[in-house]
Amino acid sequence: MPDALDATPYDALLLLSFGGPEGPDDVVPFLENVTRGRGIPKERLKEVGQHYFRFGGVSPINGQNRALLQALREDFAEHGLDLPVYWGNRNWAPYLTDTLREMVADGRRRVLVLATSAYASYSGCRQYRENLADALAALRAEGLEPPKVDKLRHYFNHPGFVEPMIDGVLRSLADLPDDVRDGAHIAFSTHSIPTAAADTSGPVEAHGEGGAYVAQHLDVARLIADAVRERTGVDHPWRLVYQSRSGAPHIPWLEPDICDHLQELHAAGVPAVVMAPIGFVSDHMEVLYDLDTEATAKAGELGLPVRRSATVGADPRFAAAVRELILERAATERGQDNTPCALGSLGASHDVCPVGCCPSRAARPAAAGADSPYA
């Protein structure tokens, strides 16, 4: 039996994700949850829902979260980490509030949260923390005493997140025809966000053009490109590009769009492209539709060979990284010295989101941060 690993003071891990529909009847109610408060008509939601209806009304994200849950539980058991793992979503069942209520009933008092978003941004971090604060407030309104929650740091540059993506790009390059492989470009793709949100992402000192959101993605892209060059002997040109834009057309969002980028590369005579979705933990709808369907169709129209590399998903190395992040944070909470594990030039991210980090347009309470009302 492995030696027991100490996660004290924590007594549970909460996998916190976005959620997604699991059948046609779920699509519009799910989108109503996502867009609540924005006044979007149901007819418009039905139009947006066509991406889901195209795949039977099922988003792959819930199935992928179940696979990650299994991978985490197996890794913890194999390495002697006695820490139960729960799962809650922001926008679909199992809902976050219901999961926290279950944790209270199970006697959990100190919870670490793993969000399925690796980078700093309002939508990728602060909004998750706001949802946590809402759920904790709901439990208090019911007369329950919710647990104290802490969020694991951003893991974009942890080896267990980066190495699977390196392997994915290498496999995609190897799958290209021999005569175009060495000339292939790499398009590192992530979710576009409004430029104003990007500029204020991360701690206040990181605010500026693109903020921490762009800086973190660029650092990961460089890590992967450098590793590919070292392992293949070929220096593949690359660029950070964006996908999945939504919202009003007059609001500036990060560019270039992946489809526009493919058009530019084709016009420049590039022989092939690997699309590497480094901004996504798993192959959910943005990857399945925006890359595998829309961008791949655009490449087909252009006669441009493309491959799409894999996301991290439930890779055992990612599960191991989560275990390491838990033990790292637990040691810090106990006042013990430890060296955070991080690749690249930016170093390990903060454990506690500081005041002014990834601010929202309208001030709302957020849990698991320096400005949290739930200390």
Side-chain angles (χ1 to χ4, degrees):
M1 292 292 292
D3 294 333
L5 300 179
D6 189 5
T8 308
Y10 298 104
D11 56 15
L13 175 71
L14 169 62
L15 176 65
L16 176 56
S17 193
F18 192 81
E22 300 200 77
D25 293 342
D26 297 344
V27 173
V28 171
F30 163 74
L31 292 173
E32 287 175 333
N33 288 342
V34 173
T35 61
R36 183 177 288 114
R38 301 184 203 171
I40 299 176
K42 181 171 286 190
E43 290 307 310
R44 173 58 183 151
L45 295 180
K46 289 180 180 177
E47 292 176 19
V48 174
Q50 291 306 312
H51 293 182
Y52 293 95
F53 292 128
R54 184 187 185 107
F55 299 96
V58 178
S59 168
I61 192 169
N62 279 352
Q64 290 159 2
N65 281 328
R66 292 184 184 100
L68 179 55
L69 280 171
Q70 183 65 23
L72 291 171
R73 288 166 177 159
E74 289 177 357
D75 178 90
F76 292 2
E78 179 183 351
H79 291 88
L81 178 58
D82 184 16
L83 193 71
V85 186
Y86 295 76
W87 169 35
N89 289 324
R90 290 168 47 190
N91 298 300
W92 201 248
Y95 288 104
L96 171 59
T97 303
D98 294 336
T99 300
L100 283 172
R101 191 180 294 112
E102 177 188 356
M103 298 176 85
V104 169
D106 290 346
R108 310 304 175 195
R109 304 304 311 147
R110 191 78 186 270
V111 175
L112 262 176
V113 177
L114 168 67
T116 54
S117 177
Y119 301 84
S121 71
Y122 170 73
S123 56
C125 183
R126 173 90 191 188
Q127 193 170 16
Y128 281 87
R129 294 175 48 225
E130 290 176 353
N131 294 144
L132 276 167
D134 291 344
L136 294 170
L139 296 189
R140 289 183 184 278
E142 296 172 8
L144 300 174
E145 184 60 34
K148 176 175 172 24
V149 297
D150 292 325
K151 180 177 175 291
L152 286 170
R153 65 175 172 88
H154 301 302
Y155 46 83
F156 64 94
N157 56 1
H158 193 287
F161 187 69
V162 175
E163 283 290 340
M165 291 190 292
I166 293 171
D167 288 349
V169 171
L170 290 170
R171 286 193 298 270
S172 291
L173 285 167
D175 192 49
L176 285 168
D178 294 346
D179 60 335
V180 299
R181 183 180 304 125
D182 286 354
H185 284 225
I186 306 172
F188 292 107
S189 186
T190 190
H191 207 302
S192 185
I193 60 174
T195 56
D199 293 345
T200 56
S201 58
V204 172
E205 62 269 18
H207 292 179
E209 187 174 356
Y213 185 75
V214 172
Q216 290 170 359
H217 280 87
L218 285 173
D219 209 40
V220 171
R222 289 189 196 100
L223 283 167
I224 297 172
D226 288 349
V228 168
R229 183 182 64 251
E230 291 167 3
R231 299 180 195 186
T232 66
V234 179
D235 191 4
H236 291 274
W238 62 270
R239 186 170 183 181
L240 179 63
V241 300
Y242 302 92
Q243 61 176 91
S244 312
R245 176 189 167 130
S246 61
H250 68 278
I251 297 175
W253 283 54
L254 293 173
E255 296 177 333
D257 177 77
I258 177 65
C259 289
D260 293 340
H261 184 58
L262 293 176
Q263 185 97 37
E264 293 167 2
L265 292 179
H266 173 68
V270 169
V273 179
V274 168
M275 301 182 294
I278 62 172
F280 305 92
V281 173
S282 64
D283 290 3
H284 52 64
M285 187 55 71
E286 279 86 352
V287 176
L288 192 65
Y289 181 81
D290 296 329
L291 293 184
D292 292 355
T293 304
E294 192 172 53
T296 299
K298 170 59 70 175
E301 292 172 11
L302 298 169
L304 179 64
V306 294
R307 298 292 185 272
R308 197 268 290 174
S309 66
T311 53
V312 172
D315 190 290
R317 288 169 292 183
F318 182 46
V322 173
R323 168 172 41 85
E324 292 168 6
L325 288 166
I326 291 168
L327 296 175
E328 171 197 303
R329 181 62 183 276
T332 298
E333 291 297 308
R334 295 194 301 266
Q336 298 173 341
D337 291 334
N338 67 88
T339 302
C341 188
L343 301 174
S345 63
L346 299 180
S349 184
H350 47 261
D351 278 331
V352 178
C353 293
V355 175
C357 191
C358 304
S360 55
R361 286 170 292 181
R364 288 182 56 193
D371 56 355
S372 171
Y374 305 103

